[in-house]
Amino acid sequence: MTDTAPPTLPAGGGIDLSADAYPSDSRYANDDLRPVPLAERRWTTYNFVALWIGMAHCIPSWTLASGLVALGMDWKQAVLTIALANVIVLLPMLLTGHAGPKYGIPFPVLARASFGLRGANLPALIRAAVACCWFGIQTWIGGQGVFVLLGKVFGGWADVPQVGGYPWTLWLCFVLFWVLELAIIYRGMDTLRRFENWAAPFVLVGAVVLLVWIANKAGGFGPLLDEPSKVGWGSDFWKIFFPGLMGMIGFWSTLSLNIPDFTRFGKGQRAQVWGQTLGLPTTMTLFALMSVLVTSGSEKVYGAAIWDPVALAGKTDNVFGLLFALITVFVATISVNIAANVVSPAYDLANLAPKLINFRTGALITGVIGVLVMPWKLTSTPELYIFTWLGVVGGLLGTVAGILIADYWIIRRTVLHLADLYLPSGRYWYSGGWNWNAVTAFAVGGILAVGGSYSTVDAKGVKAGPFPVDGLIPFLKPLADYGWAVGLGSSLILYVALTKARGVRI
C-alpha cells in the first residue's frame, strides 16, 4: 500500500514537478532526464503516426518479408506473420508508453521505479548496447544504398582503391550518413519531431512511386504471388512461424522499452495511444505487402526476385528516378536510425552518469560505438538475422518489458512518486540503489528466454549461427523459439510474486 495519497492529475492528465521537488545538484538528474514540463508536452497523434511511418519505412523492415520467404513461407504467410507480430508488440508499447504523457519521464527514469536508482542502469545499458548495434546496421545499410545509387549516377564510382576490403567511396557514404544523423539529433528532440513530420509522407510517397513504377513495367503482379509455400501449413510451417514471429516482435521490442522517451512529449494518453495504434501495425503490414508486390513485379520484369529496394531502384537508367530514389533512401534510413537507435542510448548513457553525460554527449558516444561494431555480419543470412540476432535480443528485452509492466501496472497501478525517482533517500532507493527482486526476475527470465538459443543446420550440414545445435542449455531449447513471450511472461510473474512475498514500499 502507498503511504501517501496519490498525486492529483491536472485537467490534461499529466503530472508536473516543481523545480524545487529535488535538489538541483542531485547526481541522478540533469536537464535531459528531468520530467518534461506540461507546457512542453506538445506531440499530437499525427506526430506519433509520423514517427512510426518514418521508423517503419526503412530498408531492413522492407526486407523482413524476404527473410521469411527465403525460409520457405509464401507471401501470404510472411505478411500474416509480420502483421500478427506488430499487433502483439503494440500492447507493451502502449503499456510502457503510458508513463510518458503522465509523468514526462524517459525510459531509464521509469526503470528506476522497478530496478532502483542504480539498478536502472542494467536494463538501460542493455537497451543502449542493442541500439548501438542497430545504429551501426542502419548506417551501414544506408551508406550502401547511397553508394549503389551514386554508382549508377556517376560511372566508375566503385572502381576506386579499397580500404579494409571496401571501396573508399563506400566508406565516404557511410561517414556522410553518420555525420548527418548525429547533426540532426544533436539539435534536440524538437528538431527530430519536425524532421519526422515531413520525412514520413516523403518516404511513403517514395515507396508508392516504386510500386507504381514496377507495376507499370511488369504489366501486373504474378510470379511471386503465385509461388506456393515451401513449408505448407503443417508442422514444417510452425517450426518457422514461431521463431519467425518472435524475430519479428524482436524487431520492435527495443522500442517497447524506450517508447517513453518519445511519449513523454505527448499532449496526453489519447495522442500516444491513437498515434501508435494507427502508426505501427498498419504501417508495417502495408510496408510488408508493398515489398512483396514490388518484388513480385521485379521477378516478372527481370526474371529474378529483387528484394533489396536499392538494387531494384538501381535498375532504372533515368537520372531523375535515381536521384529521387537516392533521396528517399537517405531520408528513410536517417529517419528510423536517429529515432529508434540514437534517442534511447543517448538517454540511457546520460542515466549512467547524469553529471558527466547529457543527451548530446550520449548521442555522440552512440555514434562512435556504432562505428566500432561490425554490423554487416548480423544481416549476412536470414537464419542469423531473424533467429539469432532478433530472437536473442527480443528475448532479453522482453524480460525487461515484463518487469516494467508488472511494476508500473500491477504493483503500482500507474502511481509513481515523481520526485523520489531522483532522490537517493526516496522509496526507489531499495538496497543501495538496487531492487534485487527485479534483478532476480531479470536473471531468471533472461535464462529461460535465451538459455536454449540454438543454431540451425542447412541442407549441407553447415551450422548457421554461433550457438550449439542442441542449444546453450539443451533442456531449455524448446523455449528458445518463443524467447520474447517466455522472457516477458516469466519475468512479469516472478517479479510480482517476489514483490508481494517480500513486500516493498510503493
Side-chain angles (χ1 to χ4, degrees), residues 140-167:
W140 181 257
I141 289 175
Q144 285 181 313
V146 173
F147 172 77
V148 169
L149 293 175
L150 285 178
K152 289 286 294 185
V153 177
F154 305 107
W157 179 255
D159 300 328
V160 296
Q162 294 193 348
V163 176
Y166 296 95

Side-chain angles (χ1 to χ4, degrees), residues 110-132:
L110 173 62
R112 293 175 182 179
S114 51
F115 282 85
L117 267 70
R118 288 177 173 168
N121 286 316
L122 173 63
L125 290 179
I126 291 174
R127 173 66 184 95
V130 172
C132 289

Side-chain angles (χ1 to χ4, degrees), residues 71 130 134 137 240 242-248 250-251 253 377-397 449-457 463-469 471-472 480-481 483-484:
L71 294 172
V130 172
W134 268 121
I137 289 173
I240 296 177
F242 285 112
L245 182 69
M246 292 301 109
M248 296 305 104
F251 190 78
S253 64
K377 291 188 176 181
L378 293 174
T379 56
S380 57
T381 66
E383 292 86 0
L384 185 63
Y385 181 45
I386 294 176
F387 292 175
T388 303
W389 167 241
L390 292 180
V392 171
V393 165
L396 288 177
L397 298 184
V450 304
S453 297
Y454 64 94
S455 297
T456 56
V457 177
K463 187 176 70 170
F467 302 119
V469 174
L472 288 171
D481 290 346
W484 180 83

Side-chain angles (χ1 to χ4, degrees), residues 457-462:
V457 177
D458 62 20
K460 298 180 180 179
V462 179

Side-chain angles (χ1 to χ4, degrees), residues 199-214:
F202 183 88
V203 173
L204 188 57
V205 169
V208 172
V209 168
L210 186 62
L211 177 63
V212 172
W213 170 69
I214 196 65

Side-chain angles (χ1 to χ4, degrees), residues 283-295:
T283 298
M284 285 295 292
T285 303
L286 177 62
F287 211 47
L289 181 59
M290 289 177 65
S291 73
V292 168
L293 291 174
V294 170
T295 305

Side-chain angles (χ1 to χ4, degrees), residues 27-247:
R27 62 179 297 187
Y28 296 99
N30 62 23
D31 288 342
D32 298 308
L33 297 177
R34 67 174 175 82
V36 175
L38 281 172
E40 297 178 19
R41 301 178 200 175
R42 297 189 290 261
W43 286 34
T44 64
T45 298
Y46 174 75
N47 293 138
F48 287 110
V49 171
L51 177 74
W52 274 114
I53 292 175
M55 289 196 295
H57 288 176
C58 60
I59 297 173
S61 63
W62 179 277
T63 56
L64 283 180
S66 67
L68 294 175
V69 171
L71 294 172
M73 290 187 180
D74 64 19
W75 72 271
K76 296 184 294 293
Q77 292 170 330
V79 172
L80 173 64
T81 303
I82 292 171
L84 181 59
N86 283 281
V87 169
I88 292 173
V89 82
L90 176 66
L91 181 58
M93 290 274 191
L94 298 178
L95 292 177
T96 54
H98 182 278
K102 185 172 182 179
Y103 296 102
I105 54 177
F107 156 65
V109 175
L110 173 62
R112 293 175 182 179
S114 51
F115 282 85
L117 267 70
R118 288 177 173 168
N121 286 316
L122 173 63
L125 290 179
I126 291 174
R127 173 66 184 95
V130 172
C132 289
C133 290
W134 268 121
F135 176 80
I137 289 173
Q138 293 277 13
T139 304
W140 181 257
I141 289 175
Q144 285 181 313
V146 173
F147 172 77
V148 169
L149 293 175
L150 285 178
K152 289 286 294 185
V153 177
F154 305 107
W157 179 255
D159 300 328
V160 296
Q162 294 193 348
V163 176
Y166 296 95
W168 69 262
T169 45
L170 175 56
W171 291 111
L172 177 64
C173 295
F174 177 71
V175 171
L176 179 63
F177 243 89
W178 185 88
V179 171
L180 190 55
E181 287 168 336
L182 294 183
I184 293 173
I185 199 63
Y186 196 78
R187 295 179 63 85
M189 289 295 289
D190 205 46
T191 300
L192 173 62
R193 177 179 63 86
R194 293 194 297 269
F195 179 80
E196 294 291 348
N197 281 350
W198 71 264
F202 183 88
V203 173
L204 188 57
V205 169
V208 172
V209 168
L210 186 62
L211 177 63
V212 172
W213 170 69
I214 196 65
N216 183 61
K217 291 182 70 70
F221 303 104
L224 192 67
L225 300 183
D226 294 333
E227 186 72 21
S229 170
K230 296 181 176 65
V231 294
W233 290 95
S235 59
D236 289 339
F237 168 74
W238 298 111
K239 290 178 183 177
I240 296 177
F241 172 76
F242 285 112
L245 182 69
M246 292 301 109

